[in-house]
Amino acid sequence: MLTPDAAAIERVFRDEYGRAVAILVRHFRDIDLAEEAVQDAFTTALVRWPTSGVPPSPAGWIVTTARNRLIDRLRREASREDRHAQASVLYAAPSNPFPDPDETDASDDSVVADDRLRLIFTCCHPALGNAAQVALTLRLLGGLTTAEIARAFVLPESTMAQRLVRAKEKIRSARIAYRVPREAELPDRLGAVLAVVYLIFNEGYAATSGERLVRDELCRESIRLGRLLRELLPGEPEVLGLLALMLLVESRRAARTTADGDLVRLTDHDRSLWNRELIAEGLMYLREALEHQRPGPYQLQAAIQAVHSEAAAAANTDWPRIVWLYDRLLDVSPSPVIALNRAVALAEVEGPAAALTIIDQLALDRSHLFHAIRADLLRRLGRAGDAAKAYDEAIARSENTREREFLRRSRDALTLS
């Protein structure tokens, strides 16, 4: 067996962190303790695995090690006064760290049977603000770093760190129970849950940092959660819209990178590589969602992706239709990021000058995508010097190796034109 290096262990961390935390939270009812125990287990793996090798079941090893560490800690810290309370927690912890997913607590009539989906709904408690719900769940379930979450929210890292700390303090001070919501409570938490699943998917499809452009495990996990949500709430159009959106975007993944992992623009995709089965499934869910005649943000975003999916070639894309859909999306969910994406589509209809006028009014200076799009528009306008400066701004703000390489090639190509 090859000796694993830190990168290999990091991949296991990315794949299994959320699952391990979810299992421990379910049985020990303490987010901080669960997260610390899982982190300790991975620290132990960094020491042991390079010499002993990766175990046959890395996920089982991590959960078992974390669970044992947590039990040992509770035993050490239990005082005479709370020894009985701590003992009840220990004996409540299952001997099997991977219980049957169909197993439910006798005192809980929840319809949520999946540990990770269970934890998402738990974190999305109405006592927490929507942004805090999403940020905390991304940290716990997606295993995203504070910096990655901050970039997803287009916020400084220090601000996001404070937000995560406040969310955990709120859970403790408000004594929010780590219980699964009853069926009647699920709709009130759905908005935050959908946002979490979509942000996990986005991080998987366009990783904000690291050596890989795509993190397959996050794409798979978010689609899996989307399918579970559809089973849980089959008549909810936004659930169907989100699942359709993810499937339509996922269908293009094989064409999104070269054999060496380099980024390929959507307009340059080899569309023969698109997964037609995923496209058909996504379009089916989108049609089912639109039949409810309650269009929401995810349905509209899925409709935009459907227009791309139905174009046999980039030149056949119905850009006026996409602009119209973005206008509807801005009506129901106004945001500078959506306005930025609309400007990209507008450039194909009215030209780069019209799009540049719009994006120069957006407060997105911390976003590398903002500068990358601006650079491309300037390039198309023949303003090579300004485009090069914008590319430099984008490169400075991107922490993904593949994206930086793509941006550098685009900038360097300016001198050849």
XYZ file of all heavy atoms in Angstrom, residues 192-234:
342
model
N -33.598 27.938 4.180
C -32.193 27.841 4.573
C -31.589 26.517 4.148
O -30.428 26.446 3.734
C -32.063 28.019 6.084
N -32.368 25.443 4.243
C -31.869 24.122 3.853
C -31.523 24.090 2.366
O -30.463 23.603 1.965
C -32.904 23.029 4.190
C -32.497 21.698 3.582
C -33.047 22.888 5.699
N -32.409 24.633 1.529
C -32.134 24.675 0.093
C -30.890 25.509 -0.202
O -30.074 25.147 -1.058
C -33.341 25.243 -0.653
C -34.626 24.401 -0.627
C -35.742 25.119 -1.375
C -34.395 23.021 -1.210
N -30.744 26.631 0.510
C -29.567 27.476 0.301
C -28.289 26.731 0.650
O -27.272 26.834 -0.058
C -29.683 28.754 1.143
N -28.319 25.963 1.735
C -27.148 25.185 2.142
C -26.778 24.162 1.079
O -25.615 24.041 0.666
C -27.413 24.482 3.486
C -26.372 23.412 3.752
C -27.402 25.493 4.615
N -27.773 23.400 0.636
C -27.506 22.351 -0.349
C -26.933 22.952 -1.629
O -25.975 22.418 -2.218
C -28.788 21.549 -0.650
C -28.564 20.563 -1.800
C -29.241 20.786 0.600
N -27.479 24.084 -2.048
C -27.006 24.712 -3.284
C -25.589 25.261 -3.133
O -24.767 25.142 -4.044
C -27.967 25.820 -3.704
C -27.648 26.426 -5.059
C -27.272 25.621 -6.131
C -27.709 27.800 -5.266
C -26.976 26.165 -7.372
C -27.418 28.355 -6.507
C -27.046 27.530 -7.550
O -26.752 28.083 -8.778
N -25.286 25.841 -1.978
C -23.939 26.360 -1.766
C -22.920 25.221 -1.697
O -21.782 25.374 -2.153
C -23.886 27.205 -0.494
C -24.481 28.612 -0.618
C -24.530 29.302 0.740
C -23.681 29.464 -1.604
N -23.305 24.096 -1.113
C -22.416 22.933 -1.118
C -22.154 22.485 -2.553
O -21.021 22.172 -2.942
C -23.006 21.787 -0.280
C -23.021 22.154 1.203
C -22.194 20.498 -0.478
C -23.715 21.137 2.089
N -23.222 22.471 -3.358
C -23.054 22.086 -4.766
C -22.131 23.072 -5.487
O -21.244 22.661 -6.253
C -24.411 22.036 -5.467
C -24.299 21.701 -6.936
C -24.133 20.392 -7.345
C -24.341 22.692 -7.900
C -24.003 20.068 -8.687
C -24.216 22.391 -9.247
C -24.046 21.067 -9.642
N -22.334 24.362 -5.263
C -21.489 25.366 -5.919
C -20.030 25.199 -5.548
O -19.138 25.340 -6.398
C -21.966 26.776 -5.555
C -23.149 27.222 -6.385
O -23.393 26.687 -7.461
N -23.893 28.182 -5.883
N -19.774 24.915 -4.273
C -18.388 24.710 -3.853
C -17.804 23.473 -4.513
O -16.613 23.418 -4.824
C -18.306 24.598 -2.329
C -16.913 24.338 -1.785
C -15.902 25.424 -2.124
O -16.318 26.594 -2.320
O -14.695 25.107 -2.197
N -18.647 22.467 -4.745
C -18.169 21.272 -5.427
C -17.906 21.503 -6.894
O -16.907 21.018 -7.443
N -18.777 22.255 -7.552
C -18.659 22.456 -8.995
C -17.598 23.494 -9.349
O -17.008 23.434 -10.423
C -20.011 22.888 -9.572
C -20.088 22.765 -11.076
C -20.259 21.520 -11.676
C -19.981 23.887 -11.892
C -20.316 21.397 -13.058
C -20.049 23.771 -13.273
C -20.215 22.524 -13.853
O -20.267 22.407 -15.223
N -17.369 24.441 -8.435
C -16.357 25.477 -8.679
C -15.654 25.759 -7.365
O -15.978 26.719 -6.659
C -17.004 26.745 -9.235
N -14.712 24.891 -7.008
C -14.033 24.993 -5.722
C -13.351 26.344 -5.570
O -12.659 26.813 -6.471
C -13.006 23.872 -5.587
N -13.547 26.967 -4.414
C -12.985 28.303 -4.215
C -11.491 28.267 -3.937
O -10.819 29.289 -4.073
C -13.695 29.008 -3.043
O -13.626 28.164 -1.883
C -15.135 29.313 -3.376
N -10.972 27.114 -3.533
C -9.543 27.031 -3.250
C -9.050 25.622 -3.540
O -9.835 24.710 -3.819
C -9.267 27.400 -1.782
O -9.906 26.487 -0.918
N -7.728 25.456 -3.468
C -7.137 24.134 -3.671
C -6.634 23.917 -5.082
O -6.606 24.819 -5.921
N -6.226 22.674 -5.342
C -5.636 22.301 -6.624
C -6.668 21.858 -7.656
O -6.397 21.860 -8.846
C -4.629 21.160 -6.407
C -3.473 21.509 -5.493
C -2.546 22.553 -6.100
O -2.392 22.542 -7.345
O -2.000 23.369 -5.353
N -7.851 21.452 -7.176
C -8.875 20.932 -8.089
C -9.916 22.001 -8.388
O -10.311 22.757 -7.506
C -9.564 19.717 -7.478
C -8.691 18.505 -7.313
C -9.513 17.343 -6.757
N -9.948 17.606 -5.382
C -10.927 16.950 -4.777
N -11.610 16.023 -5.430
N -11.253 17.218 -3.531
N -10.370 22.032 -9.632
C -11.444 22.948 -9.991
C -12.777 22.412 -9.498
O -13.651 23.170 -9.064
C -11.497 23.130 -11.513
C -12.528 24.140 -12.012
C -12.164 25.545 -11.566
C -12.660 24.071 -13.521
N -12.938 21.081 -9.543
C -14.198 20.435 -9.161
C -13.934 19.498 -7.996
O -12.951 18.753 -7.994
C -14.789 19.640 -10.350
C -16.052 18.890 -9.920
C -15.094 20.569 -11.515
N -14.809 19.545 -6.991
C -14.746 18.617 -5.870
C -15.925 17.654 -6.018
O -17.051 17.951 -5.625
C -14.790 19.377 -4.541
C -13.513 20.159 -4.274
C -13.632 21.113 -3.127
N -14.021 20.470 -1.896
C -14.213 21.122 -0.749
N -14.028 22.441 -0.710
N -14.583 20.482 0.335
N -15.632 16.506 -6.602
C -16.680 15.537 -6.947
C -17.538 15.158 -5.754
O -18.757 14.991 -5.880
C -16.054 14.269 -7.533
C -15.283 14.536 -8.814
O -15.375 15.655 -9.331
O -14.603 13.615 -9.295
N -16.889 14.991 -4.582
C -17.623 14.482 -3.431
C -18.727 15.448 -2.987
O -19.806 15.031 -2.551
C -16.660 14.196 -2.265
C -16.083 15.404 -1.533
C -14.954 16.114 -2.269
O -14.610 15.665 -3.379
O -14.438 17.102 -1.732
N -18.477 16.761 -3.131
C -19.494 17.734 -2.743
C -20.634 17.778 -3.758
O -21.797 17.957 -3.383
C -18.873 19.118 -2.578
C -17.917 19.294 -1.390
C -17.455 20.746 -1.291
C -18.569 18.863 -0.091
N -20.307 17.624 -5.031
C -21.366 17.555 -6.050
C -22.269 16.359 -5.796
O -23.507 16.476 -5.816
C -20.753 17.462 -7.451
S -19.908 18.965 -8.012
N -21.655 15.213 -5.546
C -22.442 14.005 -5.290
C -23.304 14.159 -4.042
O -24.484 13.786 -4.036
C -21.522 12.792 -5.132
C -20.846 12.321 -6.405
C -20.240 10.941 -6.206
N -19.293 10.918 -5.105
C -17.989 11.152 -5.241
N -17.477 11.440 -6.438
N -17.183 11.092 -4.192
N -22.712 14.703 -2.993
C -23.441 14.830 -1.730
C -24.619 15.780 -1.850
O -25.708 15.506 -1.346
C -22.490 15.300 -0.629
C -23.152 15.584 0.713
C -23.752 14.343 1.361
O -23.573 13.215 0.833
O -24.422 14.497 2.398
N -24.431 16.906 -2.512
C -25.524 17.878 -2.628
C -26.665 17.317 -3.477
O -27.845 17.516 -3.150
C -25.014 19.197 -3.218
O -24.317 18.988 -4.424
N -26.348 16.597 -4.544
C -27.406 15.988 -5.361
C -28.107 14.890 -4.575
O -29.335 14.741 -4.648
C -26.827 15.461 -6.687
C -26.405 16.641 -7.575
C -27.837 14.587 -7.419
C -25.701 16.250 -8.859
N -27.353 14.121 -3.805
C -27.965 13.102 -2.954
C -28.943 13.744 -1.970
O -30.073 13.261 -1.770
C -26.885 12.339 -2.188
C -27.388 11.120 -1.412
C -26.284 10.564 -0.517
N -26.015 11.470 0.588
C -26.714 11.476 1.711
N -27.732 10.655 1.871
N -26.411 12.322 2.685
N -28.529 14.848 -1.344
C -29.409 15.548 -0.413
C -30.625 16.116 -1.141
O -31.737 16.122 -0.602
C -28.644 16.653 0.301
C -27.565 16.187 1.290
C -26.726 17.371 1.754
C -28.191 15.471 2.477
N -30.419 16.608 -2.361
C -31.540 17.114 -3.146
C -32.564 16.030 -3.433
O -33.779 16.273 -3.379
N -32.087 14.826 -3.732
C -33.010 13.717 -3.980
C -33.767 13.341 -2.703
O -34.957 13.019 -2.745
C -32.248 12.511 -4.527
C -31.622 12.725 -5.909
C -31.060 11.420 -6.449
N -30.272 11.615 -7.656
C -30.794 11.786 -8.879
N -32.108 11.808 -9.031
N -29.998 11.936 -9.927
N -33.070 13.380 -1.563
C -33.734 13.088 -0.295
C -34.808 14.123 0.016
O -35.892 13.788 0.494
C -32.707 13.056 0.841
C -31.838 11.801 0.958
C -30.789 11.985 2.041
C -32.694 10.578 1.262
N -34.496 15.387 -0.270
C -35.486 16.444 -0.043
C -36.714 16.244 -0.926
O -37.848 16.498 -0.495
C -34.859 17.811 -0.309
C -33.925 18.359 0.777
C -33.178 19.580 0.265
C -34.712 18.703 2.034
N -36.482 15.802 -2.157
C -37.626 15.551 -3.044
C -38.510 14.432 -2.490
O -39.750 14.511 -2.547
C -37.130 15.184 -4.446
C -38.260 14.771 -5.397
C -37.723 14.407 -6.772
N -38.764 13.741 -7.546
C -38.976 12.423 -7.540
N -38.191 11.626 -6.811
N -39.941 11.886 -8.260
N -37.895 13.389 -1.922
C -38.677 12.318 -1.317
C -39.422 12.819 -0.082
O -40.547 12.407 0.193
C -37.758 11.155 -0.938
C -37.124 10.450 -2.131
C -36.140 9.381 -1.702
O -36.088 9.081 -0.487
O -35.419 8.859 -2.572
N -38.765 13.719 0.648
C -39.350 14.251 1.883
C -40.512 15.195 1.596
O -41.548 15.161 2.271
C -38.256 14.984 2.664
C -38.591 15.532 4.041
C -38.841 14.393 5.008
C -37.455 16.415 4.535
N -40.354 16.054 0.600
C -41.362 17.062 0.250
C -41.633 16.988 -1.249
O -41.241 17.879 -2.012
C -40.868 18.461 0.643
C -40.589 18.681 2.140
C -39.800 19.958 2.355
C -41.887 18.726 2.920
N -42.309 15.950 -1.708
C -42.460 15.714 -3.150
C -43.250 16.789 -3.892
O -43.091 16.939 -5.099
C -43.180 14.359 -3.211
C -43.866 14.232 -1.900
C -42.962 14.906 -0.903
